[in-house]
Amino acid sequence: NAGVTQTPKFQVLKTGQSMTLQCAQDMNHEYMSWYRQDPGMGLRLIHYSVGAGITDQGEVPNGYNVSRSTTEDFPLRLLSAAPSQTSVYFCASSPLGAFEKLFFGSGTQLSVL
Amino acid sequence: SQKIEQNSEALNIQEGKTATLTCNYTNYSPAYLQWYRQDPGRGPVFLLLIRENEKEKRKERLKVTFDTTLKQSLFHITASQPADSATYLCAPSVSGGQNFVFGPGTRLSVLP
């Protein structure tokens, strides 16, 4: 199993550009989420999903869109990139239910100039 | 709002000693708490989970405690090795589900 796969690993954008960060998992996990990680601030939840067709906002959703059309894929869209969105983005998945651990992808390092 | 603090940004210890990392949380009562390890350029990897009704959990050289009165978890690595050098994140659960609030992490360096 590949686990959680994120693409691309690195991306540089100009302010105002749009892009989609891809996340796919092959473990049949119902739950998927996106976090951003900034120095000294820990991981902050952007959006999450508990199954295909169901998404909800996390702590820092502004500027990001998500959709979940299949169990496997959970893309994160930046509609108009801003320098404040420069960060490392992690996708995570897990089975639904209490006491489940998160499986993380290897991250996407995004720079917005 | 919910707040997570980890004792220090960086911790240096000598090989063979016990490393103790602290996680304090405020403004909520998590049903359980997880600890993750993160290496540079990689995603976090799950280490241990402890529930609110458990005082202590062990796995090989790792030990976690959970004091709901103090709102604190301690993470211990005994007989530490240079390979234990990494950033360690604590993550109390939110409402018992899969959404977590992560602490900023403690970067541990084990010196040979």
Side-chain angles (χ1 to χ4, degrees), chain A residues 1-107:
Chain A
N1 286 348
V4 179
T5 302
Q6 288 184 239
T7 55
K9 287 194 176 298
F10 302 94
Q11 184 70 50
V12 179
L13 291 177
K14 293 182 179 178
T15 297
Q17 286 185 317
S18 63
M19 80 157 296
T20 300
L21 278 62
Q22 302 291 345
C23 176
Q25 52 92 9
D26 61 0
M27 297 172 283
N28 203 32
H29 287 166
E30 300 95 331
Y31 176 89
M32 295 186 74
S33 57
W34 278 101
Y35 285 86
R36 61 177 287 173
Q37 187 172 39
D38 301 292
M41 299 191 70
L43 289 155
R44 292 182 291 169
L45 182 64
I46 304 172
H47 285 285
Y48 66 97
S49 168
V50 297
I54 305 169
T55 64
D56 208 342
Q57 296 180 349
E59 179 187 358
V60 289
N62 292 340
Y64 307 96
N65 279 357
V66 293
S67 60
R68 184 96 179 269
S69 56
T70 67
T71 299
E72 295 78 19
D73 300 298
F74 191 45
L76 178 72
R77 297 183 186 85
L78 284 71
L79 299 178
S80 179
S84 61
Q85 294 179 303
T86 294
S87 188
V88 181
Y89 291 85
F90 288 99
C91 179
S93 73
S94 80
L96 267 184
F99 315 120
E100 295 289 348
K101 63 186 178 185
L102 292 174
F103 294 80
F104 283 86
S106 57

Side-chain angles (χ1 to χ4, degrees), chain B residues 1-99:
Chain B
S1 63
Q2 298 150 347
K3 186 177 179 182
I4 314 298
E5 293 180 325
Q6 294 191 238
N7 56 327
S8 58
E9 189 174 325
L11 180 65
N12 296 330
I13 65 166
Q14 212 63 38
E15 182 176 5
K17 301 292 186 183
T18 296
T20 299
L21 283 62
T22 304
C23 176
N24 295 295
Y25 56 91
T26 55
N27 295 332
Y28 75 121
S29 299
Y32 64 104
L33 186 149
Q34 300 186 354
W35 283 88
Y36 288 79
R37 169 182 172 142
Q38 186 175 23
D39 292 289
R42 310 290 293 272
V45 174
F46 171 81
L47 294 175
L48 279 171
L49 178 154
I50 186 164
R51 305 182 187 198
E52 61 180 339
N53 61 349
E54 297 175 317
K55 295 295 184 187
E56 182 180 297
K57 202 78 167 283
R58 292 175 183 262
K59 179 183 176 182
E60 298 173 352
R61 295 184 296 109
L62 308 180
K63 184 178 84 171
V64 174
T65 63
F66 193 10
D67 189 325
T68 56
T69 301
L70 291 178
K71 293 185 179 293
Q72 181 181 81
S73 175
L74 299 179
F75 178 80
H76 306 272
I77 306 175
T78 59
S80 59
Q81 305 165 0
D84 295 325
S85 298
T87 295
Y88 292 85
L89 310 172
C90 74
S93 70
V94 177
S95 303
Q98 266 93 344
N99 292 341

